[in-house]
Amino acid sequence: MSRIVILGNAGGGKYCRDESGGGAHKDGGFVTVLLQNTTPGLRVRTEGGVWIDAPPVPGTFVINTGELLELATNGARRRA
């Protein structure tokens, strides 16, 4: 089973941190694949709990492991 979720800015591409995005969350599925463009906004949490910007690299993919993969590998692969 697959699920596609599209989060974005309804303002036509003008990025505003207060108006777009999905907020802090854990990916619940197996893996999440994000095709990057030039729009900033992705942030990741470090092992120490600090949120940092993940600058976009156009034409690349960000692969996040999810809770199901962590469960399937008995914690060997931690969720992002």
Side-chain angles (χ1 to χ4, degrees):
M1 176 165 46
S2 297
R3 177 178 67 165
I4 297 176
V5 177
I6 299 173
L7 298 175
N9 183 347
K14 183 179 177 186
Y15 175 73
C16 177
R17 205 176 279 269
D18 295 333
E19 296 177 6
S20 63
H25 67 279
K26 298 175 184 173
D27 291 343
F30 199 70
V31 295
T32 300
V33 180
L34 303 168
L35 174 61
Q36 293 196 305
N37 57 22
T38 58
T39 305
L42 180 64
R43 302 192 82 206
V44 294
R45 194 171 77 170
T46 66
E47 291 284 332
V50 177
W51 288 94
I52 59 172
D53 291 329
V57 179
T60 64
F61 291 94
V62 173
I63 311 295
N64 290 332
T65 57
E67 291 180 322
L68 287 179
L69 182 59
E70 182 176 2
L71 232 113
T73 62
N74 201 26
R77 296 289 179 245
R78 294 187 55 200
R79 67 185 173 271

